[in-house]
Amino acid sequence: MSTPPLPVPPDSTEETDHRLWIGNLDSRLTEFSILKILQKFGSLKKFDFLYHKSGPDVGKPRGYCFASYENKESAELALAKINGKLALSKRLIVRWANKEPSALEPKSKLTKSENIAEDVYTSPQSKIHAIEAKLQKMQEEKSSSPEVKPVPGSSELSVVQREARLREMELASARRQTKRPYKR
């Protein structure tokens, strides 16, 4: 006796055309409040507000959610209106879900040699080369700037502090001399 085959889920390409990823959510932002914000732009087909399932943050929001709208126009309107808006203390980031980052998104300002961990597929040799190049650059910058060695006690602040300590010691000494036992 064989079990019947599982039904194949319908093609979800239509849903992904209307599915948004909303990220950088403040941890104080509730599921209800973000749902109310998203409903202003059209009727939602599906809403997923994700929570941590394990680890020290169990039950706390993950900081992002997914929303699927009934039509593409509503999703586009939500994307345009919500992206970059301040919600509590953080600016919301809204992107199309399951899509590659567009060419319009800002790239990292760091060069490849300065951001070694940028590519996990980088070979160990290229990582070593990048670190050596960065060290050499730092040494060149250090040698080009004049080396200034501070002389202990030469700053104005240390002179003022020293004078204040001397005054405190003199006052304490004077108080000790004036505190003599009471004589009748």
Side-chain angles (χ1 to χ4, degrees), residues 64-123:
Y64 62 93
C65 65
F66 292 95
S68 297
Y69 282 91
E70 291 289 335
N71 55 40
K72 190 165 183 148
E73 293 77 26
S74 298
E76 288 173 344
L77 180 65
L79 175 69
K81 296 284 184 175
I82 300 173
N83 190 32
K85 295 293 181 193
L86 196 63
L88 294 180
S89 64
K90 292 185 173 184
R91 295 210 178 270
L92 297 177
I93 299 171
V94 183
R95 303 280 186 258
W96 291 108
N98 299 326
K99 297 243 178 158
E100 292 295 318
S102 69
L104 300 175
E105 289 182 23
K107 299 288 182 186
S108 173
K109 293 180 182 179
L110 299 175
T111 63
K112 187 84 170 179
S113 64
E114 291 172 335
N115 192 1
I116 297 165
E118 181 179 322
D119 187 8
V120 294
Y121 301 110
T122 307
S123 70

Side-chain angles (χ1 to χ4, degrees), residues 13-40:
T13 56
E14 185 180 323
E15 181 184 320
T16 56
D17 286 343
H18 314 139
R19 189 167 168 88
L20 296 175
W21 175 85
I22 300 99
N24 200 33
L25 299 176
D26 191 295
S27 60
R28 298 171 293 166
L29 200 60
T30 64
E31 184 175 3
F32 180 77
S33 59
I34 192 72
L35 184 62
K36 286 298 176 188
I37 292 169
L38 294 171
Q39 286 176 337
K40 291 179 182 178

Side-chain angles (χ1 to χ4, degrees), residues 47 56 66 74 87 123 132 147 150-152:
F47 179 71
F66 292 95
S74 298
S123 70
E132 288 173 344
E147 193 171 323
V151 178

